[in-house]
Amino acid sequence: LLMLCYSYIRYDFVAVTNPPTGRKHHTAVVVDSKMYVMGGKDSSGNVLNQLRIFDLSTAAWSDGADMPATLTGHAAVAMGTE
């Protein structure tokens, strides 16, 4: 599977490394140059406790620490740099 992301820094499409599996009913917030995607449901309907982090400057995904509970249909907000 090849996933591409448009880079506003390079003004071109770049390949995304280590893309996550699809999910729905998740929350995403951006802090500095990283997008944090939390919880949601996978394609089988399992509720997730995963935190995935997308680095906008490198177009790379990484795993964050698992959350202590599964979450779906929730909300989040980023304030300042936290």
Side-chain angles (χ1 to χ4, degrees):
L1 172 68
L2 174 64
M3 181 182 284
L4 299 173
C5 175
Y6 187 76
S7 170
Y8 289 97
I9 296 168
R10 300 179 189 163
Y11 298 104
D12 196 8
F13 286 93
V14 295
V16 175
T17 59
N18 195 23
T21 57
R23 63 183 65 206
K24 59 186 175 184
H25 306 292
H26 58 280
T27 296
V29 296
V30 175
V31 177
D32 294 325
S33 64
K34 294 186 179 173
M35 178 175 62
Y36 299 85
V37 179
M38 298 159 275
K41 292 182 179 181
D42 65 14
S43 60
S44 298
N46 299 310
V47 181
L48 306 171
N49 68 337
Q50 300 169 337
L51 171 63
R52 298 285 285 159
I53 303 164
F54 184 66
D55 189 318
L56 298 165
S57 61
T58 63
W61 284 94
S62 61
D63 293 323
D66 285 344
M67 296 179 293
T70 58
L71 296 171
T72 185
H74 55 288
V77 63
M79 298 189 63
T81 58
E82 299 184 27

